[in-house]
Amino acid sequence: MSQQSHFSLSFFYAFVSLLFIHHVLASTSTTPQVQTFNTKPDIINPKLPPRTLSSSKKFEGSSDLVHLRYHMGPVLSSTPINIYLIWYGRWANSQKLLIKDFLYSISPTTVAAKPSVSEWWRTVSLYTDQTGANVSRSILIAGEYTDSAYSHGTGLTRLTIQQVIASAVKSAPFPVDHKNGIYLILTSQDVTMQDFCRAVCGFHYFTFPSMVGYTLPYAWVGNSGKQCPEVCAYPFAVPGYMGGGGPGALKSPNGDVGVDGMISVIGHELAELSSNPLVNAWYAGEDPTAPTEIGDLCEGLYGTGGGGGYIGHVMRDRQGKTFNMNGRRGRKFLVQWIWSPELKACSGPNALD
């Protein structure tokens, strides 16, 4: 090897060494270069086929033509609102925990990422009674009763559901709480209910003293997972006339189509039960036997830009799970919006405007 070649190689090695030293110094400087990953969920607004259940009460958007009026009755203003859960049928512990996590997420003391369930319930708390008292923002699960023996059969009606409540309140230590309590009856996926899947996914009313002994506000919601997910777990399942039917393009946030679908219906019924517990407070229309309430007005809307077949802008995480609000313990939920008396429009915590 010539001296000139030796000099050239030496120069090359020295140059490479300088580059290496510069790279090391740069990587250990006081302002390190940190590689970041985008952990924010995607924002989507999918257009889906309408569910088969009639939604004639749905009002997409806002209008002064919606005559939601106060009819001088009470709202649930006690703090907290005591919820008494009645589990009818066979329920997995994981399903119970998911529903209870949603209920506990309503209270403002719950630690949750934004947009949150607690922020969603704030819209419900804007409704007041004639004294100016607001719907309470705090929720307490004050008791639970389980009837896994189907003591009233696997086919229920609007009247026999009151017998289920009567059985629960007669069993110690499940109390009668006619001042601060509401009763939430949840039926498992193998229990049928009068008009379930055909006309309703849930409903609320109050008990008759002749059947229960007291006038108690209550709500019923059924698990549609085996019976009609395309109706009552929409949009996690789509109508059968779509290609193949079955689960839809939207992935449920907690991996249980039936229970994830129930969550939104539970939210819908609790919002209406709290603002219209005896069907003489907040509703639109002149017929109290068929009122249009604050959940009915926004049925099927989950975000900004909803309407015309679009559910609105919602979030999708890296696992493809669809949601629009967060709850405690890192839970995610997809819950419909509620009519705001301030905005005179459907409102939710994930609004983009």
Side-chain angles (χ1 to χ4, degrees):
M1 180 181 294
S2 68
Q3 185 176 1
Q4 184 178 3
S5 298
H6 178 76
F7 176 77
S8 299
L9 286 173
S10 299
F11 179 79
F12 172 75
Y13 290 139
F15 178 71
V16 171
S17 298
L18 286 172
L19 287 176
F20 176 75
I21 292 171
H22 174 75
H23 173 73
V24 171
L25 289 174
S27 64
T28 56
S29 65
T30 57
T31 57
Q33 302 297 312
V34 179
Q35 186 175 9
T36 60
F37 296 92
N38 181 16
T39 58
K40 291 184 178 180
D42 296 329
I43 305 295
I44 60 172
N45 185 9
K47 185 173 185 178
L48 298 173
R51 65 178 189 161
T52 55
L53 184 65
S54 171
S55 57
S56 58
K57 293 181 179 180
K58 182 171 66 175
F59 184 83
E60 299 171 335
S62 63
S63 174
D64 293 332
L65 300 177
V66 176
H67 298 298
L68 184 73
R69 294 193 298 115
Y70 176 58
H71 296 79
M72 305 305 291
V75 300
L76 297 181
S77 58
S78 63
T79 300
I81 298 171
N82 292 329
I83 295 183
Y84 297 93
L85 283 171
I86 300 175
W87 304 98
Y88 192 86
R90 294 188 177 91
W91 289 89
N93 288 333
S94 59
Q95 294 176 320
K96 290 183 176 182
L97 184 59
L98 174 55
I99 290 172
K100 289 193 287 186
D101 276 344
F102 171 71
L103 296 174
Y104 279 127
S105 297
I106 289 174
S107 297
T109 54
T110 301
V111 176
K114 294 184 178 182
S116 68
V117 175
S118 177
E119 292 173 316
W120 169 82
W121 187 261
R122 181 186 172 278
T123 298
V124 183
S125 73
L126 297 175
Y127 289 89
T128 61
D129 64 15
Q130 57 186 313
T131 70
N134 294 75
V135 171
S136 175
R137 293 200 65 185
S138 296
I139 295 289
L140 175 67
I141 297 177
E144 296 182 60
Y145 174 82
T146 299
D147 187 346
S148 57
Y150 306 87
S151 62
H152 296 275
T154 57
L156 301 177
T157 67
R158 289 177 182 258
L159 283 179
T160 58
I161 202 72
Q162 296 203 24
Q163 295 173 358
V164 172
I165 299 170
S167 296
V169 299
K170 289 175 183 176
S171 66
F174 210 68
V176 170
D177 187 353
H178 61 279
K179 291 185 177 180
N180 303 323
I182 58 176
Y183 295 77
L184 179 58
I185 305 94
L186 305 172
T187 52
S188 56
Q189 62 185 3
D190 54 347
V191 176
T192 62
M193 166 63 73
Q194 176 186 355
D195 295 328
F196 186 31
C197 297
R198 185 185 65 81
V200 297
C201 298
F203 60 79
H204 74 91
Y205 205 59
F206 52 85
T207 61
F208 304 141
S210 60
M211 297 194 70
V212 183
Y214 299 87
T215 299
L216 304 174
Y218 74 90
W220 162 82
V221 179
N223 184 341
S224 67
K226 290 283 182 70
Q227 298 182 50
C228 58
E230 72 283 357
V231 176
C232 295
Y234 180 90
F236 303 129
V238 297
Y241 62 79
M242 297 299 291
L250 300 190
K251 188 176 181 181
S252 66
N254 299 287
D256 188 322
V257 168
V259 177
D260 275 319
M262 287 183 74
I263 296 294
S264 188
V265 182
I266 289 171
H268 175 121
E269 296 302 334
L270 287 183
E272 295 182 344
L273 186 60
S274 298
S275 58
N276 195 28
L278 300 180
V279 201
N280 61 356
W282 289 95
Y283 64 88
E286 301 302 323
D287 184 2
T289 64
T292 299
E293 301 172 284
I294 66 173
D296 298 325
L297 291 167
C298 304
E299 185 181 325
L301 297 179
Y302 300 87
T304 303
Y310 292 91
I311 68 169
H313 288 89
V314 296
M315 293 167 281
R316 184 172 58 197
D317 66 15
R318 291 195 295 175
Q319 285 76 45
K321 299 176 180 179
T322 308
F323 65 103
N324 66 346
M325 59 190 73
N326 298 280
R328 75 172 196 157
R329 302 193 317 121
R331 293 284 199 187
K332 296 178 174 68
F333 304 105
L334 185 70
V335 183
Q336 71 151 87
W337 280 13
I338 295 297
W339 186 266
S340 167
E342 289 184 346
L343 300 176
K344 290 184 170 50
C346 296
S347 177
N350 59 312
L352 300 179
D353 47 15

